[in-house]
Amino acid sequence: MQMLIGGAWTPAAQGEVIGVFNPATGELLDQVPLGRAEDVDAAAGAAAGAGPRWSAVPPRERGKRLYAAAQAIRERKEALALLLTREQGKPLAEARNEILGAANVLEYYASIAGTLAGTAAALPGYGHAAVVPQPLGVCAAIVPWNMPALILAWKLGPALLAGNTMVVKPSRSTPLVSLHIAGIVGDACGVPGAVNMVTGTGSGAGEALVAHPVVRHVSFTGQTDTGRRVAARASGDLKQVSLELGGSDPMIVCGDADIAAAVAGALHGRFYNCGQTCTAVKRLYVEAPVYDEFLRKLAAGARAIRVGNGIEPGVAMGPLHRAADRDRLCAMVAALQEDGLARVVAGGGIPGGASPAGQFMEPTILAEPDPAAPVLTEEIFGPVLPVVRVEDLDEAIASANRSRYGLGASIWTRDLAAAARAAEQVRCGIFWVNQHLKIPPDVPFGGTGASGIGRENGMSAPQRYMETKTVLVRP
Ligand code: NAD
């Protein structure tokens, strides 16, 4: 596939390409351009050129066009989901879910198009005041590989609805679905250059985009360390920045919880997308009276998960996206076990019978990990779940807060007073009671601490891509 620049499919100026590989088989799926600074410059120029035409489209009409894009994505759901499974690795059912999620997000922004009008008021002594929202201009979106369709929609929806034009940099290893969706949304907008996409590496096209002088806003989703570099680079010419970064979500299971529901929630929360979700359950804190029962059921559930190529029926967990992550996680688990810092009660290695070319790992449960073990202190992006025994809710909350991250967190209990206390005291951007991982487009989503700054989703998302101009009129 080619890049999308100014409404046209375009090769890299220097003609270089990079391969896109299937993590379940190692197969080369396609090649995309290796975009460099001159390609970013062309895309930013196209976006700037399209700005006046797109911002002149009334907001309700912009909403209708986003709605049309959502319908086109729904119509192509099967083909897009299959491509997503093949380039990212997630099972087909999860890929379908993500594609429909992206359509849902665009429909949500279409539905709130009427809220973008400014305000006007009579100000005695000054005359009349109008507060007029205006698009920022060219916005950059930088997207990771773990949810390349959904996170793209989180950024395209509000920024385009607000009247901005976009340059997107997808991950180098999952550009294919992103390019298709960018093409669909760009066509639906009807203004060539409203949506541009430059493929390539983070250090090449990514850094050039963040530093480009016409870009006024950078919406970045990815690792915390990358986010720091992006923020530093964007600060030079005072770009607005939003950073959606890593997480190490705690899940608390109280003694009175519905154990079957909590076990199912933990399995889904950790092993969905092979554990590669920013808000995955990454640390489990279980109250002592139910710890042994919970651990036994959780380990049995983990062992029952069928691992394999996501296009095969019945496969519930695909490969890790990156081979290096699989090898690092297997080595980490082996070292924890060897050093007596955790007990492996399910999984821990490479599943027997899996294709040797695929980057598979068994769903892994670790009992009673040492509090200082990296599996509790770092973000673990893969299918490894440490289960900690705690005496009571106070200990669970204190342990949950022992992390530099603050993205999501959940509690599983029948006691609403306990849930309310945890919701108040656990440091995070989104808190769930008796559920985890749910991210509806209707409400703000984002993190605190090392999980980032800013919020995506919700009614206020388009405002984050706008600034207001105040006009005072003296009759
Ligand atoms: P990453 O930081 O390696 O890359 C993310 C994107 O940034 C990619 O497109 C990459 O090419 C680009 N990039 C890399 N270096 C860059 C640079 N110097 N300048 C500009 N762009 C650069 O992250 P990843 O491994 O692709 O994604 C996984 C991470 O994303 C995890 O930490 C996960 O928790 C996080 N994440 C967060 C959220 C959230 O909403 N908070 C959602 C999904 C993923």
Side-chain angles (χ1 to χ4, degrees):
M1 284 192 82
Q2 307 283 36
M3 298 186 288
L4 183 60
I5 297 183
W9 296 107
T10 311
Q14 294 184 24
E16 298 165 287
V17 292
I18 38 176
V20 182
F21 297 89
N22 183 334
T25 62
E27 162 204 12
L28 175 68
L29 293 174
D30 204 344
Q31 292 183 321
V32 295
L34 176 60
R36 293 190 183 275
E38 55 263 56
D39 304 297
V40 168
D41 196 41
R53 273 188 69 198
W54 178 243
S55 62
V57 175
R60 279 178 198 276
E61 176 59 26
R62 286 181 221 144
K64 283 185 192 162
R65 296 184 193 184
L66 288 179
Y67 189 80
Q71 299 321 296
I73 290 170
R74 285 186 186 281
E75 279 159 24
R76 286 176 232 178
K77 177 190 82 175
E78 282 306 310
L80 291 170
L82 184 60
L83 188 58
L84 178 55
T85 291
R86 295 179 79 214
E87 73 173 337
Q88 199 274 348
K90 62 186 63 184
L92 208 44
E94 292 184 15
R96 286 192 189 106
N97 227 3
E98 183 174 342
I99 297 300
L100 292 178
N104 197 25
V105 165
L106 296 178
E107 285 160 2
Y108 170 73
Y109 288 109
S111 78
I112 62 166
T115 65
L116 295 190
T119 55
L123 281 184
Y126 296 93
H128 295 280
V131 181
V132 186
Q134 299 191 311
L136 296 172
V138 177
C139 295
I142 300 182
V143 177
W145 52 261
N146 67 326
M147 300 257 174
L150 183 65
I151 292 172
L152 177 61
W154 284 355
K155 298 179 188 311
L156 287 178
L160 289 170
L161 184 67
N164 301 284
T165 54
M166 307 279 301
V167 181
V168 184
K169 214 297 281 169
S171 171
R172 66 169 290 166
S173 56
T174 53
L176 302 177
V177 157
S178 306
L179 282 165
H180 279 280
I181 291 180
I184 290 170
V185 178
D187 283 350
C189 287
V191 174
V195 178
N196 305 275
M197 186 167 278
V198 179
T199 49
T201 64
S203 57
E207 292 210 355
L209 180 57
V210 172
H212 197 284
V214 311
V215 169
R216 298 313 312 146
H217 183 290
V218 179
S219 175
F220 171 84
T221 300
Q223 298 181 39
T224 298
D225 286 347
T226 318
R228 276 200 192 92
R229 278 201 294 282
V230 165
R233 210 170 163 81
S235 67
D237 47 4
L238 303 179
K239 295 178 169 76
Q240 295 188 21
V241 178
S242 81
L243 302 171
E244 305 296 337
L245 308 177
S248 180
D249 285 15
M251 167 173 165
I252 297 171
V253 180
C254 296
D256 71 341
D258 175 339
I259 296 297
V263 166
L267 291 169
H268 177 72
R270 175 73 273 196
F271 299 116
Y272 190 82
N273 201 12
C274 197
Q276 303 164 123
T277 305
C278 52
T279 50
V281 173
K282 294 183 182 140
R283 299 173 286 145
L284 245 175
Y285 297 99
V286 183
E287 285 188 353
V290 293
Y291 183 88
D292 293 334
E293 177 194 355
F294 186 90
L295 186 66
R296 197 178 59 251
K297 292 180 172 165
L298 186 72
R303 283 187 219 105
I305 292 173
R306 193 167 147 218
V307 180
N309 186 334
I311 62 167
E312 288 168 15
V315 163
M317 195 178 93
L320 278 140
H321 184 65
R322 298 198 279 212
D325 286 347
R326 194 272 304 267
D327 298 345
R328 196 174 42 77
L329 284 180
C330 286
M332 180 194 75
V333 169
L336 287 173
Q337 167 108 317
E338 215 173 290
D339 298 344
L341 297 177
R343 206 158 37 85
V344 179
V345 293
I350 297 171
S355 151
Q359 296 149 199
F360 299 103
M361 181 176 181
E362 293 173 315
T364 299
I365 306 288
L366 300 177
E368 307 193 51
D370 186 274
V375 73
L376 288 176
T377 57
E378 292 307 315
E379 178 183 36
I380 302 299
F381 220 54
V384 179
L385 180 54
V387 191
V388 180
R389 186 192 301 265
V390 290
E391 287 311 314
D392 54 23
L393 186 56
D394 286 332
E395 187 185 347
I397 292 172
S399 307
N401 283 336
R402 217 168 286 132
S403 170
R404 66 190 179 120
Y405 296 105
L407 193 53
S410 67
I411 189 168
W412 297 68
T413 179
R414 292 184 168 97
D415 177 352
L416 281 185
R421 183 149 72 87
E424 195 183 311
Q425 293 179 6
V426 174
R427 209 163 33 81
C428 61
I430 182 165
F431 190 86
W432 295 280
V433 179
N434 295 324
Q435 54 180 330
H436 201 110
L437 268 195
K438 302 287 181 205
I439 306 180
D442 317 61
V443 287
F445 169 71
T448 185
S451 293
I453 48 174
R455 293 289 179 270
E456 298 201 282
N457 295 348
M459 287 276 281
S460 56
Q463 319 293 339
R464 291 179 220 121
Y465 291 93
M466 302 178 96
E467 55 198 359
T468 56
K469 179 183 280 182
T470 300
V471 181
L472 288 174
V473 181
R474 191 171 191 147

